[in-house]
Amino acid sequence: MSEIIIGNLLSPAVLFFLLGIIAAICKSDLKFPKGISEALSIYLLLAIGIKGGIELSKYSIEEVFVPIIGVLFLGFSIPIFTLLILRFIKLDLENSIGLAATYGSVSIVTYGAAVSFLDKIGTPYEGFMNALVALMESPAILLSLILLKVLEKNKQLAGISPSQSMGIISSSPWIDKEVIKESLFGKSILLLIGSLLIGLVLGEGAIPMVKPLFIDLYGSVLILFLLNMGLIAGERIPEVKKYGVKLLLFGLLSPLLFGSLGVLVGTYVGLSLGGATLMGVLAGSASYIAAPAALKTSVPNANPSIYLGLALGVTFPFNLIVGIPIYYEMAKFMQ
């Protein structure tokens, strides 16, 4: 176990991420231009999507049906568990919903780092796992926002007369068009699902064209992206400290809790060692692209420094450094 963690720590991706954190803590003037940062993000989304589509084209629906059910179970259950935990520690409703959406959704870059980790140690995994990333991105966001609408409506109904409540129910939709738009047609979902479908339609015939850019260069571009993420995470760490030890512990312990659940589900639905590890990574990671984009307009009272600070400043480095090897060992134990 210790050898795997040390090996992961000494990988180029993790070392460049740590370099970014050190640069931020030391107040270095190192910055990524916004355009380049955006381009790197788009590249990773496209690469994961198109590779997943090509791999998915090799499988029948019967082979992927049960893993899809497992992913949907995680996507809908993790936000509920998160909300219950955070309400138990007395965090306000809006910020609890923000974290439920963030931790129920997935981190594309953490997943990409896990794929690189498995490739490095020579552990194979099901090719359709790349496709399951896209499926787990939206359910948590949609469910969290629906839960917010329901809980807010219950608060309203508790303080008004029955005749007034009828008016509220009829005039206030549970979820509006903007929520659906941000959750299903935001940048990350659109690029992931779109490139996935393109890869699925083209199949292996697309490999000669996409291999030089989206396969051969993937690891190098991931390094650049993680250097930038290190800079952002280093800036967010002080913001997390302002909200106390309980939230800090949540950011460290929830990946282990949800990651263990993911590994268990992955093993139960029949995934290989590598596939179960990736299922644990999906469950244990937290989104800092799709979920924040939806929360920005749908839950404006949720504090970005909480859900972004925890996701980027605590959970992301935890998963990158020790979480991925831990999920791998869990999956190996359960096989």
Side-chain angles (χ1 to χ4, degrees):
M1 177 68 171
S2 60
E3 292 179 0
I4 293 176
I5 292 177
I6 293 172
N8 190 49
L9 279 170
L10 296 178
S11 68
V14 174
L15 290 175
F16 273 94
F17 175 76
L18 294 175
L19 177 61
I21 289 181
I22 293 170
I25 292 174
C26 296
K27 308 296 183 182
S28 169
D29 60 353
L30 175 61
K31 299 290 181 184
F32 272 62
K34 185 177 180 181
I36 292 179
S37 176
E38 184 79 3
L40 293 174
S41 174
I42 290 173
Y43 171 88
L44 291 176
L45 292 166
L46 288 174
I48 290 174
I50 199 165
K51 287 191 292 184
I54 292 172
E55 289 296 328
L56 190 61
S57 68
K58 303 175 185 177
Y59 298 88
S60 65
I61 186 64
E62 290 80 9
E63 292 176 283
V64 299
F65 180 75
V66 176
I68 286 174
I69 296 300
V71 159
L72 292 177
F73 167 75
L74 292 171
F76 285 113
S77 62
I78 290 176
I80 295 175
F81 293 146
T82 301
L83 187 60
L84 291 174
I85 293 170
L86 293 171
R87 295 299 283 165
F88 178 77
I89 63 175
K90 308 300 183 183
L91 186 66
D92 63 275
L93 177 59
E94 286 79 8
N95 283 311
S96 296
I97 289 293
L99 286 171
T102 302
Y103 278 79
S105 191
V106 300
S107 165
I108 303 297
V109 181
T110 306
Y111 176 82
V115 168
S116 297
F117 168 80
L118 293 176
D119 290 340
K120 181 180 178 182
I121 62 175
T123 301
Y125 58 92
E126 290 80 0
F128 60 73
M129 289 303 300
N130 287 358
L132 299 187
V133 179
L135 292 178
M136 198 170 168
E137 188 87 62
S138 290
I141 300 172
L142 288 170
L143 178 61
S144 298
L145 298 178
I146 289 172
L147 286 173
L148 176 63
K149 295 290 183 181
V150 171
L151 293 173
E152 285 181 338
K153 193 162 294 186
N154 287 341
K155 278 186 177 181
Q156 292 174 342
L157 294 177
I160 59 178
S161 66
S163 60
Q164 289 174 310
S165 70
M166 293 299 292
I168 290 178
I169 291 175
S170 61
S171 62
S172 177
W174 279 14
I175 193 163
D176 56 34
K177 289 187 291 185
E178 284 300 313
V179 170
I180 297 174
K181 180 181 177 182
E182 290 292 340
S183 299
L184 295 180
F185 299 103
K187 176 187 68 176
S188 84
I189 303 295
L190 182 66
L191 289 176
L192 268 177
I193 295 180
S195 57
L196 174 71
L197 292 175
I198 291 171
L200 179 62
V201 170
L202 297 178
E204 293 184 286
I207 291 179
M209 181 175 291
V210 304
K211 186 176 183 294
L213 178 61
F214 291 113
I215 298 177
D216 294 343
L217 293 180
Y218 179 83
S220 299
V221 176
L222 179 63
I223 286 174
L224 287 174
F225 189 86
L226 287 175
L227 174 61
N228 187 40
M229 285 296 101
L231 291 169
I232 297 173
E235 293 172 352
R236 295 286 183 181
I237 290 174
E239 297 176 357
V240 178
K241 294 179 181 178
K242 295 189 295 186
Y243 296 97
V245 177
K246 289 182 179 179
L247 277 185
L248 198 61
L249 288 175
F250 173 81
L252 290 171
L253 297 179
S254 62
L256 293 176
L257 173 63
F258 300 144
S260 300
L261 177 62
V263 171
L264 181 63
V265 170
T267 304
Y268 181 77
V269 300
L271 295 178
S272 65
L273 170 59
T277 300
L278 292 178
M279 190 78 90
V281 171
L282 289 177
S285 64
S287 171
Y288 44 81
I289 299 176
L295 293 169
K296 185 177 180 181
T297 56
S298 304
V299 195
N301 291 330
N303 191 334
S305 67
I306 293 181
Y307 57 78
L308 267 179
L310 276 183
L312 265 178
V314 180
T315 299
F316 179 63
F318 173 83
N319 277 327
L320 199 64
I321 296 169
V322 297
I324 294 171
I326 289 174
Y327 307 143
Y328 175 78
E329 288 296 321
M330 287 181 180
K332 185 190 291 185
F333 176 78
M334 294 182 185
Q335 290 292 308

